[in-house]
Amino acid sequence: MATSMDKEDIPFDEMFMAGNKIRRPYSGYHHWLEGQHTRRLQQKSSEADALFRSVGVTFNVYGNKDADERLIPFDIIPRIISAAEWSKLTRGIEQRIRAINSFLHDIYHRQEIIRAGKLPAKLITGNSAFLPQMIGVTPPGHVYTHIVGTDIIRTDENEFLVLEDNARTPSGVSYMLQNRETMLQMFPDLFSAVSVRPVSDYPRHLRRCLSDCPPARCEGRPVIGVLTPGIHNSAYFEHAFLANQMGVELVEGQDLRVVDGRIAMRTIRGYVPVDVLYRRVDDDFLDPLNFRPDSLLGVAGILDVYRAGGVTLVNAPGTGIADDKAIYSYIPDIIRFYTGEAPLLGNVPTWRCSEPDHLAYALENLSDLVVKEIHGSGGYGMLVGPAASKQELADFRQLLSSRPDNYIAQPTMCLSTVPILARSGLAPRHVDLRPFVLVSPDRIHISPGGLTRVALKEGSLVVNSSQGGGTKDTWVLED
Amino acid sequence: MVLGRTADGLFWMFRYLERSENTARLVGAGLRIALTRSRSGAEEWSSIISTAGATDAFLARHASYEFDGVVEFMLRDRSNPSSVMSLIEAARNNARSVRTALTSEVWEATNETWMSLRNALKTPVTHHGLPEVLSLIRQQSAYVRGALHGTMLRNEMFNFARLGTFLERADNTARILDVKYYVLLPSVVHVGAPIDNVQWETILRSVSAEHAYDWLNEGDPDPAGIARFLILDGRMPRSMAFCCKQILENLRHLEADLPDPAPSLALAQELSDSLRRRDIKDVLEDGLHDFIQEFISKLGKLGGQIETDYQFHA
């Protein structure tokens, strides 16, 4: 197993093959690109920035007062996926998500997988993402994860691996839409030269997906709302954007209360029930009566209303148990257990530091590994061994030894690269991919594209926007 | 369906925008007087601060009414909630929180206003640079207003935006008169003296009406004429009567076809009636100051009633 980026470990570039030959999916685009002047592209690139700013597509960075609204850098060179690659990817993602939903249902009901000895019970019982309040509760339409953003990395021509399942409240879909919108505005001619599958119908699919799972007490057409923590949340732009695009209410906890066993929103004419809430508030903050009592973002009693069929929460509370990084390492087994099939998409090899021999391995090879917190996200609290200083390594060694259960370790994967437009022209940078998945009781919809995140610093493998990553428009070709 | 919080956000977004525009206009009028009559500069600046209701806050930071201090305080000072920068920031925050109620044109105009003013007000404003900054503020608010009129549906959201605008504007015009009422009193000895002419002109200028007055009225401005113009003239878009009529119309639209009209409608009707068929001579004889004070207090009550009637708060 490759544990580090050795010299012979030349990253797989998605545009250029050896000898500067163009990989087939990029041939149409590259042909267009050859007719463009670098200076004009650079000018377009700054026009794109201005566009993002005036539309207000910004990102709030926590813990940074001065720059509380930042632009995620947008790179104008698209990331291109062929139709064949895409269909392979989507089959794998669908399989995985079906298994995850079966797993969630099982884990909150009979826990067959534990009885079968395929998953250690302690991973569930001692896990803060497991919500005892959800035991025995079946969500409307039997869907737990209505909205998923599976993080995929590519390591060579044929290998796509799942890095994270993001089954709680994945963000970034507004960037998928805005990036495409920007590209269409900047380079209208480009899209007649290359046939790219559109993504602009995502909001309509999202709305349908939300309507597909009305609560038991809903009468008629479901009333839908997006529940946001408010304008100071890092993803607020996205919450407003999606509500706006779907034509549904954008609500905050302060707008809602329990009225006659329903969740109702305060309108200028009084309280009106909401049927489906796409909530972008974490489980912990959702209900001060059931979870964190100091939360001002949620609605007191909403979980009880949910359990009684008064409202649909999207995603269901407690789905975090499926995308926890310790559970992640068992997903291939979970897929086999619930679908009886071999996993179509692989995992990144993972050492669970809770297991003594894994911990020993992790400590020994720390400088080659990526270490992540079990419940971490957004690139916070992680260690990238090869890029870490001696001090950082020493700090993490201590963290790992004192709370091994809290960490997993993975080899530093050599992510594929796609060129960005740098000052000097094209330059390869590492990327990952987050396709956006919508789950309805009878179908799974995956938007053809997704969010490509790119590490803008040369050689860097950290693509998170909170850590200086950028984004690219992601194309899935028609043919 | 409009959320109470959305109505609240729209209402105050447009109050803030209106107030920032009025502040710019007041500062512009002050600049004019300070340039033409350096002796009365301090007095003029102090009445501007007083119109903004910020005398205590100003004196806590500045020892005297000088150009630099006043302009800093009224345009840039973020610790002053009624500085233009604070107001624009508050308006933009509100716009963000009611983003789904706005068209993208209105949102982008508001966002660009914030970006360009933040840029223009990055460093202290000099004597020299002030006119340009003030005209930028005026242009930007016209930009937002244009986007509102050109792109928003004429629905309840629009009504709340307009209610905020006219409540604020009526309040601002009344406050200008309240601070300057003594200049308009017929009993003042200096009638006809040059100082008064300048003061009158300043009053007209602070509501951008120095030319409109001439168009509609023959002869030189006189106190009663100016008072009538600003209080009662339904053609003048910043007059108290005009604003009250707009408030009433927007509330009527909100209440149309409802069996049980909201109490705010009755209050607005009463306020509007108090300005109709009034003779300015009676107003001046009964006491301009008391009249304006009563108006401001009724207007405040109406604002509060609107917040209650439409469930702005839980």
Side-chain angles (χ1 to χ4, degrees):
Chain A
M1 182 184 312
T3 54
S4 69
M5 290 176 58
D6 304 326
K7 273 187 225 95
E8 61 269 33
D9 225 1
I10 297 165
F12 171 72
D13 191 86
E14 300 189 13
M15 189 186 289
F16 295 104
M17 296 187 288
N20 263 359
K21 279 174 69 180
I22 307 302
R23 276 186 69 248
R24 185 191 270 278
Y26 284 82
S27 62
Y29 174 75
H30 190 263
H31 182 72
W32 175 89
L33 191 62
E34 279 179 322
Q36 307 295 316
H37 290 289
T38 307
R39 190 155 339 129
R40 176 172 175 268
L41 289 176
Q42 266 149 356
Q43 189 197 328
K44 285 284 175 193
S45 171
S46 51
E47 280 174 33
D49 279 358
L51 194 69
F52 274 90
R53 263 201 207 287
S54 85
V55 174
V57 192
T58 53
F59 181 87
N60 303 349
V61 181
Y62 295 126
N64 188 349
K65 259 210 178 113
D66 293 332
D68 66 334
E69 273 177 47
R70 236 192 38 196
L71 220 53
I72 298 187
F74 171 68
D75 177 70
I76 61 169
I77 309 289
R79 195 267 185 89
I80 305 174
I81 299 166
S82 73
E85 288 167 343
W86 182 248
S87 100
K88 176 176 152 185
L89 255 178
T90 50
R91 268 180 289 134
I93 294 170
E94 271 200 53
Q95 178 196 49
R96 196 165 172 112
I97 285 172
R98 285 189 204 287
I100 284 175
N101 274 280
S102 304
F103 167 70
L104 283 164
H105 187 270
D106 184 31
I107 224 62
Y108 286 115
H109 292 82
R110 293 184 44 81
Q111 303 199 334
E112 302 284 2
I113 194 167
I114 294 174
R115 293 165 202 247
K118 302 284 185 194
L119 189 78
K122 68 164 188 173
L123 276 188
I124 303 297
T125 45
N127 195 320
S128 63
F130 178 75
L131 299 185
Q133 293 92 333
M134 285 297 289
I135 294 172
V137 177
T138 298
H142 292 235
V143 178
Y144 283 84
T145 64
H146 308 252
I147 296 157
V148 186
T150 311
D151 282 349
I152 307 274
I153 61 169
R154 181 171 201 176
T155 51
D156 63 34
E157 182 67 52
N158 293 309
E159 191 161 48
F160 293 90
L161 300 171
V162 174
L163 187 63
E164 282 179 26
D165 286 293
N166 295 316
R168 304 178 204 206
T169 46
S171 62
V173 75
S174 57
Y175 292 94
M176 170 182 85
L177 296 167
Q178 195 59 46
N179 288 354
R180 177 63 55 83
E181 206 50 44
T182 303
M183 287 296 278
L184 283 164
Q185 280 199 38
M186 296 289 128
F187 310 108
D189 54 316
L190 179 51
F191 289 85
S192 47
V194 184
S195 298
V196 180
R197 291 183 62 188
V199 290
S200 57
D201 57 358
Y202 177 83
R204 217 171 313 133
H205 283 286
L206 175 58
R207 192 183 169 133
R208 195 177 314 147
C209 167
L210 296 170
S211 312
D212 277 343
C213 293
R217 287 191 55 189
C218 169
E219 293 154 5
R221 205 172 143 207
V223 174
I224 297 169
V226 175
L227 173 61
T228 174
I231 63 169
H232 300 295
N233 184 267
S234 70
Y236 175 77
F237 165 77
E238 177 157 300
H239 308 159
F241 178 89
L242 291 175
N244 201 28
Q245 296 263 316
M246 286 192 286
V248 304
E249 293 299 336
L250 179 66
V251 295
E252 296 180 14
Q254 49 164 318
D255 300 321
L256 303 175
R257 68 158 64 143
V258 178
V259 178
D260 300 331
R262 304 293 312 272
I263 297 301
M265 54 186 176
R266 196 179 72 254
T267 77
I268 59 169
R269 316 282 182 207
Y271 279 88
V272 173
V274 194
D275 299 300
V276 181
L277 274 177
Y278 175 18
R279 48 95 176 200
R280 297 289 296 251
V281 170
D282 292 341
D283 285 353
D284 275 357
F285 294 92
L286 199 51
D287 184 346
L289 286 183
N290 281 285
F291 306 118
R292 278 179 69 148
D294 59 338
S295 171
L296 300 171
L297 306 176
V299 187
I302 193 170
L303 197 73
D304 306 304
V305 174
Y306 174 75
R307 283 153 43 114
V311 70
T312 300
L313 294 173
V314 172
N315 287 343
T319 57
I321 192 70
D323 76 356
D324 156 302
K325 290 184 178 66
I327 301 288
Y328 163 86
S329 64
Y330 286 95
I331 296 275
D333 302 316
I334 287 174
I335 293 172
R336 282 186 207 98
F337 186 77
Y338 295 103
T339 69
E341 302 162 2
L344 299 171
L345 284 174
N347 259 14
V348 173
T350 301
W351 289 277
R352 310 171 192 117
C353 301
S354 54
E355 295 176 25
D357 50 332
H358 286 207
L359 176 65
Y361 178 88
L363 287 172
E364 200 149 305
N365 297 282
L366 206 54
S367 62
D368 293 330
L369 299 175
V370 174
V371 180
K372 295 175 180 171
E373 281 184 86
I374 298 273
H375 294 292
S377 69
Y380 293 97
M382 73 184 249
L383 172 86
V384 180
S389 67
K390 279 207 170 116
Q391 185 61 49
E392 285 169 315
L393 287 171
D395 290 350
F396 252 81
R397 194 160 281 133
Q398 194 143 33
L399 283 171
L400 227 59
S401 312
S402 59
R403 293 189 61 197
D405 286 3
N406 199 34
Y407 296 94
I408 53 130
Q410 293 171 333
T412 308
M413 299 303 290
C414 187
L415 311 185
S416 60
T417 57
V418 175
I420 62 164
L421 183 68
R423 275 179 179 279
S424 51
L426 297 188
R429 293 291 185 272
H430 294 289
V431 295
D432 78 351
L433 174 66
R434 177 177 294 179
F436 294 97
V437 188
L438 297 171
V439 183
S440 290
D442 56 344
R443 66 177 175 273
I444 290 181
H445 172 84
I446 306 180
S447 268
L451 179 65
T452 290
R453 300 186 297 177
V454 52
L456 295 170
K457 234 170 67 193
E458 189 175 354
S460 168
L461 291 163
V462 184
V463 296
N464 302 77
S465 48
S466 54
Q467 315 289 315
T471 70
K472 281 173 169 293
D473 188 18
T474 307
W475 294 4
V476 172
L477 299 180
E478 287 276 9
D479 62 43
Chain B
M1 216 153 16
V2 181
L3 293 177
R5 183 175 53 81
T6 303
D8 181 28
L10 283 165
F11 180 82
W12 280 98
M13 172 184 167
F14 281 89
R15 284 199 78 152
Y16 294 141
L17 286 171
E18 181 68 24
R19 196 178 294 178
S20 70
E21 192 185 341
N22 290 327
T23 299
R25 207 176 267 116
L26 275 175
V27 170
L31 175 69
R32 182 90 179 186
I33 259 204
L35 287 179
T36 49
R37 321 212 145 227
S38 50
R39 255 187 325 134
S40 48
E43 197 183 322
E44 189 54 34
W45 292 130
S46 97
S47 69
I48 285 170
I49 300 287
S50 157
T51 306
T55 304
D56 292 347
F58 180 84
L59 291 176
R61 287 179 191 72
H62 302 273
S64 62
Y65 294 100
E66 306 274 351
F67 174 90
D68 289 342
V70 172
V71 169
E72 177 71 14
F73 182 75
M74 293 300 281
L75 298 189
R76 297 182 67 229
D77 192 342
R78 278 168 206 253
S79 67
N80 169 19
S82 48
S83 75
V84 167
M85 205 56 235
S86 299
L87 289 166
I88 294 293
E89 204 147 86
R92 180 187 181 255
N93 270 340
N94 276 34
R96 255 163 71 76
S97 79
V98 300
R99 176 64 189 81
T100 53
L102 302 173
T103 58
S104 41
E105 283 88 345
V106 175
W107 156 250
E108 282 170 32
T110 310
N111 193 35
E112 280 169 28
T113 295
W114 173 74
M115 289 192 290
S116 64
L117 287 180
R118 202 171 52 150
N119 191 41
L121 294 174
K122 220 164 27 197
T123 50
V125 180
T126 61
H127 236 110
H128 197 66
L130 182 60
E132 204 180 322
V133 169
L134 294 179
S135 98
L136 177 68
I137 298 169
R138 270 197 309 271
Q139 277 171 20
Q140 289 295 333
S141 38
Y143 179 27
V144 177
R145 188 165 30 242
L148 179 81
H149 282 281
T151 65
M152 288 273 290
L153 289 174
R154 294 317 194 251
N155 57 11
E156 291 150 318
M157 322 254 192
F158 188 78
N159 293 136
F160 286 109
R162 298 305 276 163
L163 283 171
T165 300
F166 289 111
L167 237 94
E168 184 66 29
R169 189 181 292 175
D171 185 69
N172 286 183
T173 300
R175 279 176 197 283
I176 289 170
L177 285 168
D178 191 41
V179 170
K180 289 269 173 100
Y181 79 96
Y182 58 90
V183 190
L184 296 173
L185 293 183
S187 58
V188 167
V189 189
H190 299 294
V191 171
I195 176 77
D196 287 329
N197 279 333
V198 170
Q199 290 279 14
W200 296 342
E201 201 192 305
T202 310
I203 293 177
L204 288 173
R205 208 172 269 286
S206 54
V207 292
S208 293
E210 64 273 27
H211 299 304
Y213 183 88
D214 293 333
W215 274 103
L216 297 174
N217 301 275
E218 277 195 25
D220 290 335
D222 65 280
I226 291 173
R228 186 177 34 78
F229 191 55
L230 263 59
I231 298 172
L232 302 176
D233 197 325
R235 297 168 299 179
M236 155 63 183
R238 316 198 77 82
S239 77
M240 288 153 50
F242 181 90
C243 295
C244 285
K245 194 167 153 243
Q246 295 292 323
I247 292 170
L248 188 58
E249 275 176 16
N250 280 284
L251 281 172
R252 276 197 188 127
H253 188 271
L254 281 170
E255 292 301 307
D257 309 324
L258 288 188
D260 205 7
S264 46
L265 184 63
L267 286 183
Q269 185 74 60
E270 191 190 315
L271 198 60
S272 183
D273 286 348
S274 74
L275 299 176
R276 284 177 65 209
R277 291 185 294 274
R278 272 305 278 270
D279 194 317
I280 195 63
K281 269 196 214 125
D282 300 340
V283 172
L284 291 174
E285 254 163 48
D286 293 353
L288 180 60
H289 185 60
D290 290 346
F291 178 82
I292 297 288
Q293 289 273 315
E294 197 186 326
F295 179 84
I296 290 175
S297 130
K298 280 185 175 168
L299 195 67
K301 238 198 231 153
L302 173 58
Q305 192 62 46
I306 290 173
E307 302 206 0
T308 310
D309 288 352
Y310 298 102
Q311 321 233 17
F312 282 16
H313 314 287

